[in-house]
Amino acid sequence: HMFFIYPAFIIIAIHGVIYIKNFAQSHVKNSIVQPVLCMLLLINFVYIVKLMVDLHPYEHLYFNFLVGSDMKKIRKNFDTDYWGLTYRKGLEFILQYDKSNDIVAIADYPGWSNQFILSDKDNDRIYVGFPWDIGKEKPKYFMTNFFFSQKEFPYKEIYAVKVKGADILKVYELPDSANIRFDGKFPYR
């Protein structure tokens, strides 16, 4: 949710690197310190670029090493896919998995808004409703990015988007819709 300030961060970081370089040139007389400092900055830059490549197309799920390196633990303590960008993959999976022309799925707001990324043809086949829409439609699928709740759900998991071994989005096939109720957060049995 802070993508709009990244250009300012880059400008500040460039000014910081220039300041450190100028400070080192004027205050450090030891000739070995400057190359070591440049090497450390280069290693850090390469590490972050490699991490971004590894996370692609989910670069927004980057957490620095202070938070931890185990994405499964990170997912339990932090909201990972805040904007719900993984929902598109979940919707595309449902459209391939279910060949019917009347598909109803349940998701939160990012899941609902991701349906508008789909082509008109696919959008005509699928309706993504909110959990409180239960009763108006008969949902076949439930998608979650674990934004409101980190718990697992007791439904049949049919698809998951994984990042560094952690489930960031799951698609569940729902049983008989009549047994599903809304508890204020997500449907449960």
Side-chain angles (χ1 to χ4, degrees):
H1 63 280
M2 296 179 10
F3 286 143
F4 66 94
I5 63 172
Y6 281 178
F9 280 159
I10 291 171
I11 291 169
I12 291 169
I14 290 170
H15 280 290
V17 169
I18 292 169
Y19 176 80
I20 290 170
K21 178 187 157 283
N22 292 339
F23 181 83
Q25 284 177 342
S26 63
H27 290 82
V28 178
K29 304 298 181 208
N30 188 343
S31 62
I32 192 76
V33 174
Q34 289 179 12
V36 168
L37 188 60
C38 287
M39 187 59 76
L40 288 174
L41 287 172
L42 181 64
I43 288 170
N44 184 52
F45 178 75
V46 168
Y47 169 74
I48 290 176
V49 167
K50 182 192 178 308
L51 201 55
M52 293 294 118
V53 169
D54 291 346
L55 289 174
H56 183 75
Y58 306 115
E59 295 91 349
H60 64 287
L61 299 177
Y62 165 77
F63 285 86
N64 70 30
F65 70 93
L66 297 174
V67 175
S69 60
D70 184 0
M71 193 61 134
K72 290 179 182 177
K73 289 180 184 173
I74 290 171
R75 197 210 86 189
K76 292 196 182 300
N77 295 320
F78 298 95
D79 290 325
T80 49
D81 189 19
Y82 180 83
W83 286 108
L85 301 179
T86 54
Y87 277 103
R88 180 178 184 168
K89 289 289 185 194
L91 290 169
E92 289 170 348
F93 170 80
I94 290 171
L95 288 164
Q96 287 180 341
Y97 179 79
D98 190 332
K99 300 300 182 192
S100 67
N101 288 325
D102 247 357
I103 304 170
V104 178
I106 299 173
D108 56 4
Y109 179 77
W112 174 82
S113 61
N114 267 263
Q115 71 184 322
F116 301 111
I117 297 172
L118 303 172
S119 69
D120 290 340
K121 178 184 168 193
D122 287 340
N123 217 343
D124 288 342
R125 288 183 53 216
I126 192 165
Y127 168 75
V128 180
F130 298 107
W132 49 87
D133 284 341
I134 296 173
K136 297 176 187 173
E137 303 288 343
K138 292 191 185 257
K140 295 180 184 179
Y141 306 99
F142 170 60
M143 296 184 297
T144 180
N145 64 350
F146 305 99
F147 184 67
F148 291 116
S149 175
Q150 300 302 322
K151 72 176 185 172
E152 297 293 327
F153 294 91
Y155 310 123
K156 177 185 170 191
E157 177 189 330
I158 56 172
Y159 180 73
V161 173
K162 293 182 181 290
V163 172
K164 295 182 88 176
D167 295 326
I168 303 302
L169 173 99
K170 281 192 178 182
V171 177
Y172 297 96
E173 192 166 24
L174 296 175
D176 179 16
S177 305
N179 294 333
I180 305 230
R181 297 184 321 234
F182 176 60
D183 70 353
K185 291 183 184 167
F186 279 102
Y188 65 94
R189 278 167 53 156

